[in-house]
Amino acid sequence: MTASTHWLATGAAQSVLERGGNAFDAAVAGAFVLHVAEPHLNGPGGDMTGIFVTAEAPGAPQVLMGQGAAPQAASVESYRQLGLVRVPGAGGLAAAVPAAVDAWLLLLAEHGTWPLTDVLEPAIHHAESGAPVLPAIARTIDGVSELFAEHWPSSAAQWMPDGQVPEVGSLMTNPEYAAVLRSLIAAGEGAASREEAVEAARGEWRTGGVARLASEFLAEPHRHSDGRDHAGVITVEDFAASSASVEEPLTITFRGHAIAKIGPWGQGPVLLQALKILEGFDDAELDPGTERGAHLILEALKLAMADRDAYYGDLEPEEAARRMEVLLSEEYAAARREQIAETASHAFRPGVVDGLEPATPPLDEPGSAGDEAAGTGEPTVRRDGESRGDTCHLDVVDRWGNMISATPSGGWLQSSPTIPGLGFCLGTRLQMTWLDEASPSALRPGRRPRTTLTPTLVLRDGHPVMALGTPGGDQQEQWQLPMLLRVLIGGHTPQQAIDAPTLHTTSMPGSFHPRTWEPGGAVVEDRLGEEVIASLTARGHRITRAGDWALGRLSCVTRDPATGRLGAAANPRGTQGYAAGR
């Protein structure tokens, strides 16, 4: 079974499964297709996180770490000297070292079965023959067409053929990216084994033409979203020193299920903290479709998100473990649970972790930092190229029980100028760091930005039963939480839970530039119902209505350990996601 945010990726992955490949072969094939099919949502110059489990070790989930770090020349001091108060939302200064491609190749080398040439064939086909222009792609390009035409001519050449925004439904090609993929295959020709060929491709990515062309091009000053021209600081040495890895996940137990997530170098523990807080309430109180359930979900998320901004970051392993031991403890969750009142909180309220002073980020409300359209769900693209950045998602499970959930993102076509000879740009994940040395997620050389990418794996009795995730920046954990409550407590099928009306809070500093927050803000789908919405308003929630079908792009795959029966579900919003299998 395969589910993803785009039918072409689902189709590519499923075709691999149908021809004998395993879930990891299929996921890699689908992921590279997403680079071509959803270039406004992810690209090879971006990042990804995944969580997976193998059939050989079903009770031992692992994290696939594809989040690159800050270049060695990127620091609070050096960016401050450029007159910057925050890392720009668009332009080469916001680029972390791209790690998504390296992560996918690492997964293929260690757990796949197919040769690289076969896995990359669908992506090469679409890059050379074309993928359809989605309405969102056309809107994105139109939104930055002025920037492309006036300041980023290489982007205009790739994404605006003949100087025009492409028509919806027309085919877009990317022959330069196809050539990059062919160069990765060529690097492994003559290798003694499949694994060695993939490792050769990893070496080519980190030390070959991609690193050279990207660093040389971005070293030339170019327009950033602060309205000025800056040179990027990423170097070939940064590329060479970067490497994806596999890590142990964080795991808690909720209602008899183990929930596995990435660590505090991302926002993964937010979901775990929220579940720990909600664990102390009765099942009947945790229905997201009721006034009580919606209120409790919003308030628990505010508390967990405040801890995210106060304590999370790419910390030393011992320090990260110490903080997580406290933040995920029964005692801490109980104390936080007591802070939930009958009315909505409008405060930034991190908890107390002994020996630590909680970091307090700037709390700029919409309008005070030049913000536009304050967060009604899917992020926006402004005409200066600044983006809150949307994302893709992919879930795969195979007949043997291998399962993976992955969230690729970054390297959006609007992130920075397209690099001639590569056909893609580098991402802007460093905008999630702070130019404040006191912050646990400060901009530091060699440190990862605190990514929002956060897939989930659910296990029962030591066996994986569900892999899920969604695009959506700060909303990713927030949209997964109601779905999990509906499935694990409410008796919904995964598809019913995805289809159900959802909500999220905007009462925390945004992870994306310009990083504003809305005290007490709550965004809801209108289908939640007039009575529930009116009751939430009466409780003090500052409600924004998003429409009937506007929030969340969840997908998932499932497996019943007792029977081996597989399932999948995809998001109907936007009529783009797709689940398939047999």
Side-chain angles (χ1 to χ4, degrees), residues 198-252:
V198 179
E199 285 298 329
R202 293 183 68 199
E204 171 62 25
W205 174 264
R206 296 200 304 267
T207 63
V210 169
R212 177 178 54 81
L213 290 173
S215 57
E216 288 177 355
F217 179 70
L218 291 176
E220 294 296 321
H222 54 277
R223 184 56 50 93
H224 283 58
S225 58
D226 68 342
R228 297 183 295 160
D229 290 353
H230 304 283
V233 297
I234 198 165
T235 66
V236 292
E237 289 79 15
D238 292 318
F239 274 86
S242 176
S243 180
S245 62
V246 173
E247 301 182 357
E248 293 297 314
L250 285 174
T251 305
I252 65 158

Side-chain angles (χ1 to χ4, degrees), residues 78-114:
S78 64
Y79 279 36
R80 288 278 189 181
Q81 289 175 350
L82 295 174
L84 295 170
V85 177
R86 293 182 180 145
V87 177
L93 284 176
V97 183
V101 167
D102 191 48
W104 287 119
L105 295 178
L106 173 64
L107 180 72
L108 183 65
E110 294 191 349
H111 298 288
T113 64
W114 274 28

Side-chain angles (χ1 to χ4, degrees), residues 29 94 112 141 177 273 279 378 439 471 483 503:
I141 295 173
Y177 183 45
Q273 282 195 247
E279 189 175 29
E378 298 300 327
S439 172
M483 177 186 173
L503 73 168

Side-chain angles (χ1 to χ4, degrees), residues 446-538:
R447 296 285 181 168
R448 293 167 292 186
R450 194 211 67 220
T451 183
T452 52
L453 309 177
T454 176
T456 302
L457 195 67
V458 181
L459 301 95
R460 186 177 65 242
D461 299 328
H463 293 276
V465 294
M466 183 188 302
L468 71 147
T470 179
D474 290 316
Q475 287 80 55
Q476 288 184 28
E477 300 292 27
Q478 303 196 61
W479 292 335
Q480 292 180 72
L481 178 59
M483 177 186 173
L484 282 173
L485 294 175
R486 285 178 163 121
V487 171
L488 301 184
I489 293 177
H492 287 56
T493 68
Q495 190 64 59
Q496 289 171 332
I498 289 172
D499 291 352
T502 195
L503 73 168
H504 66 264
T505 179
T506 52
S507 191
M508 74 285 166
S511 293
F512 294 90
H513 194 94
R515 316 207 69 172
T516 56
W517 80 314
E518 294 180 282
V523 184
V524 303
E525 287 187 311
D526 292 34
R527 291 182 298 125
L528 200 60
E530 293 300 327
E531 183 177 346
V532 171
I533 294 173
S535 297
L536 291 175
T537 301

